């Protein structure tokens, strides 16, 4: 009996000691970390410009006549752009819209109908130096409206990486500065969190009415210059301390 009690006691001691030893192995101390956010910004001049314009015509009786006029003026604008060196593949017509406009007054109701035809055209200028000449050529071609102007860059992926690298470098610099305030040093990266990359166009929207019907004002100069393109990045990083 005494031998049995001794064996049981020894087994219990072994279990207790092993549980303490096992817990010590499994439990590792949480590393000390510091969390920072870095921001990067790359600003460059655009090497592309997107132009969006339309040609429209209203006819009181014949939709075909309105379309023929739109086709005529659209073709004239395209030929003018090609003459400046714009390639045909960089000029696209995104839509042709045909609508019926009702003349309405509260007393008599619908008193007549007119037909409106509009063609929307998108252009990519790969030579930004012809920008002002392109605007003047469009106005001289009797286009109806320039609805948007957007500068762009052809190497966006490269700029995105540069902005991200700048954000990462600034995150490390901030982390090193903060760690030094508490007499600590940076160790390895513990975690990289969210990343945010954006492209900003410092562009101006221009709505230029056609000079059609006002020949004396066709020589009005356009001084628009596209703004710079900015690519910004933010990155959240946690570093371990030693």
């Amino acid at each position: 009996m005494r031998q049995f009690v001794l064996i049981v006691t020894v087994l219990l001691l072994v279990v207790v000691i092993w549980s303490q030893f096992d817990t010590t192995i499994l439990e590792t101390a949480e590393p000390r970390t510091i969390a920072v956010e870095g921001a990067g910004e790359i600003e460059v001049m655009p090497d592309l410009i997107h132009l969006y314009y339309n040609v429209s015509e209203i006819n009181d009786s014949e939709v075909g006549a309105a379309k023929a006029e739109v086709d005529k003026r659209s073709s004239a604008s395209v030929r003018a752009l090609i003459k400046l060196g714009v390639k045909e593949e960089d000029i696209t017509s995104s839509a042709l819209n045909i609508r019926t406009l009702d003349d309405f007054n509260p007393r008599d109701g619908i008193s007549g109908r007119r037909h409106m035809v509009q063609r929307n055209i998108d252009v990519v200028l790969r030579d930004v130096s012809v920008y002002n000449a392109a605007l003047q050529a469009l106005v001289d071609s009797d286009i109806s409206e320039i609805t948007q102007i957007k500068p762009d860059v052809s190497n966006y992926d490269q700029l995105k990486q540069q902005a991200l690298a700048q954000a990462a470098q600034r995150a490390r610099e901030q982390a090193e500065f903060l760690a030094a305030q508490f007499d600590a040093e940076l160790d390895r990266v513990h975690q990289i969190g969210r990343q945010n990359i954006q492209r900003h166009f410092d562009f101006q929207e221009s709505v230029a009415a056609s000079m059609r019907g006002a020949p004396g004002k066709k020589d009005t100069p356009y001084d628009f210059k596209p703004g710079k393109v900015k690519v910004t990045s933010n990155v959240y990083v946690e570093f371990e301390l030693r």
Side-chain angles (χ1 to χ4, degrees), residues 89-147:
E89 55 264 33
D90 290 329
I91 305 173
T92 58
S93 177
S94 58
L96 178 68
N97 301 317
I98 299 176
R99 291 186 294 163
T100 299
L101 307 176
D102 293 329
D103 292 330
F104 181 85
N105 62 70
R107 177 177 299 178
D108 302 325
I110 297 176
S111 58
R113 289 185 173 177
R114 296 179 295 166
H115 305 284
M116 177 178 179
V117 177
Q118 177 174 297
R119 184 180 294 280
N120 299 318
I121 300 176
D122 306 339
V123 180
V124 180
L125 296 181
R126 300 188 185 277
D127 180 3
V128 297
S129 67
V130 302
Y131 173 71
N132 288 317
L135 278 186
Q136 189 63 53
L138 291 177
V139 173
D140 290 342
S141 300
D142 289 336
I143 59 97
S144 300
E145 202 173 44
I146 296 174
T147 55

Side-chain angles (χ1 to χ4, degrees), residues 193-211:
R194 65 183 182 277
Q195 302 172 41
N196 181 31
I197 301 173
Q198 294 184 340
R199 174 166 40 182
H200 307 271
F201 304 103
D202 186 17
F203 69 91
Q204 301 176 25
E205 287 192 350
S206 176
V207 180
S210 170
M211 297 299 182

Side-chain angles (χ1 to χ4, degrees), residues 72-87:
K72 174 185 174 182
R73 291 156 55 201
S74 297
S75 297
S77 69
V78 170
R79 285 194 296 268
L81 291 172
I82 292 176
K83 189 175 180 180
L84 290 173
V86 181
K87 296 182 179 180

Side-chain angles (χ1 to χ4, degrees), residues 134-198:
L135 278 186
Q136 189 63 53
L138 291 177
V139 173
D140 290 342
S141 300
D142 289 336
I143 59 97
S144 300
E145 202 173 44
I146 296 174
T147 55
Q148 190 179 33
I149 299 166
K150 185 173 72 173
D152 204 349
V153 288
S154 58
N155 60 336
Y156 172 65
D157 288 339
Q158 180 183 355
L159 295 176
K160 181 173 64 174
Q161 291 180 350
Q162 292 178 12
L164 192 58
Q166 189 180 95
Q169 177 61 31
R170 290 181 176 173
R172 175 174 286 277
E173 291 172 356
Q174 290 188 53
E176 288 175 344
F177 175 78
L178 287 175
Q181 307 310 304
F182 300 95
D183 298 324
E185 294 182 356
L186 292 189
D187 200 349
R188 62 182 181 178
V189 173
H190 179 70
Q191 176 178 295
I192 299 177
R194 65 183 182 277
Q195 302 172 41
N196 181 31
I197 301 173
Q198 294 184 340

Side-chain angles (χ1 to χ4, degrees), residues 4 25 27 40-41 59 68 120 200 237 241:
F4 175 76
I25 293 178
E27 290 182 356
E41 179 179 289
N59 190 284
N120 299 318
H200 307 271
V237 187
L241 299 174

